[in-house]
Amino acid sequence: DAGITQSPRHKVTETGTPVTLRCHQTENHRYMYWYRQDPGHGLRLIHYSYGVKDTDKGEVSDGYSVSRSKTEDFLLTLESATSSQTSVYFCAIKPAGGADTQYFGPGTRLTVL
Amino acid sequence: AQSVTQLDSHVSVSEGTPVLLRCNYSSSYSPSLFWYVQHPNKGLQLLLKYTSAATLVKGINGFEAEFKKSETSFHLTKPSAHMSDAAEYFCVVSDPLNTNAGKSTFGDGTTLTVKP
């Protein structure tokens, strides 16, 4: 257990509504990541953060935004959810230094109707 | 730029027989390489990692992987499959943390089926 929680764990919403997913860590690690997992695609990086207020885009960032106002929280926002954003979302943290292993949260299953 | 190719999307073995899951990678840096396992409706668990130390890496549950730079491969093996090994396996390559914030690229996954 790497001290990562995600909320909510499950969410069903309608097309066009805003959605925010939260990733919370207790380890005070610098690097945090948001991925989505879809069948046949592995995990694809949406956005990542390398410090408070320091974020950058991953390979599938369109339609998503992030914020990190404090070390422990990394928020992923879908401004206007679409059915193509139905997925399982995983947050990950990575300690600075060491063997740079990622530790994953339990995931959030999001369904957009 | 970095990429990962898992050469088999599905692998089926009989219980007690060897497992081989193949992974090729490319990276502009000296990469860190990982294998993760995901059981159905579960999160990702680290099996093992290579970070420029010994080329033969031993992980949990009897798995091991060998880093072969000349072949740009990092194949995962286990001498004898167990029913509990049935899961999806992901090969991952990561940039160093001081480069691109240690971004990782995942392979598309290999589903391992173990037959009794």
Side-chain angles (χ1 to χ4, degrees):
Chain A
D1 183 1
I4 311 170
T5 57
Q6 292 184 230
S7 59
R9 294 292 314 280
H10 301 271
K11 186 171 183 66
V12 179
T13 191
E14 294 189 350
T15 298
T17 59
V19 176
T20 295
L21 309 182
R22 179 181 184 236
C23 176
H24 178 78
Q25 60 152 325
T26 59
E27 306 295 322
N28 205 37
H29 291 318
R30 178 181 174 189
Y31 298 92
M32 298 185 76
Y33 309 82
W34 274 109
Y35 294 90
R36 60 177 289 172
Q37 183 178 27
D38 305 289
H41 287 283
L43 274 72
R44 292 180 291 175
L45 183 64
I46 305 171
H47 282 279
Y48 63 99
S49 171
Y50 45 95
V52 173
K53 298 186 179 178
D54 291 325
T55 65
D56 206 345
K57 297 179 180 180
E59 61 178 306
V60 290
S61 59
D62 287 349
Y64 301 95
S65 63
V66 290
S67 65
R68 192 169 179 200
S69 59
K70 46 187 177 178
T71 300
E72 57 266 37
D73 288 326
F74 191 32
L75 304 180
L76 177 70
T77 297
L78 292 65
E79 300 290 346
S80 178
T82 67
S83 59
S84 65
Q85 293 175 311
T86 293
S87 187
V88 180
Y89 292 85
F90 286 98
C91 173
I93 62 174
K94 187 180 289 192
D100 66 357
T101 301
Q102 284 185 106
Y103 298 95
F104 287 86
T108 294
R109 184 173 297 274
L110 175 67
T111 302
V112 183
L113 302 176
Chain B
Q2 59 187 16
S3 67
V4 174
T5 302
Q6 292 185 240
L7 298 170
D8 305 291
S9 58
H10 292 88
V11 170
S12 181
V13 301
S14 297
E15 190 175 23
T17 64
V19 175
L20 170 64
L21 305 183
R22 298 181 295 165
C23 173
N24 286 352
Y25 72 92
S26 69
S27 175
S28 303
Y29 309 98
S30 295
S32 294
L33 292 158
F34 306 81
W35 277 98
Y36 285 86
V37 61
Q38 185 180 33
H39 288 91
N41 299 312
K42 299 291 187 184
L44 282 86
Q45 180 183 16
L46 178 69
L47 273 180
L48 50 79
K49 60 189 176 187
Y50 166 77
T51 54
S52 74
T55 57
L56 182 62
V57 181
K58 293 187 184 299
I60 62 171
N61 301 333
F63 285 95
E64 62 181 37
E66 186 172 8
F67 173 71
K68 292 187 176 180
K69 186 175 181 179
S70 61
E71 299 176 10
T72 60
S73 69
F74 191 57
H75 301 335
L76 181 70
T77 61
K78 183 174 180 178
S80 176
H82 191 273
M83 295 297 291
S84 61
D85 294 329
E88 190 159 20
Y89 292 79
F90 294 98
C91 182
V92 181
V93 61
S94 289
D95 282 337
L97 273 173
N98 60 357
T99 304
N100 293 326
K103 286 195 298 181
S104 297
T105 300
F106 281 71
D108 289 340
T110 297
T111 300
L112 176 64
T113 301
V114 182
K115 298 175 290 184

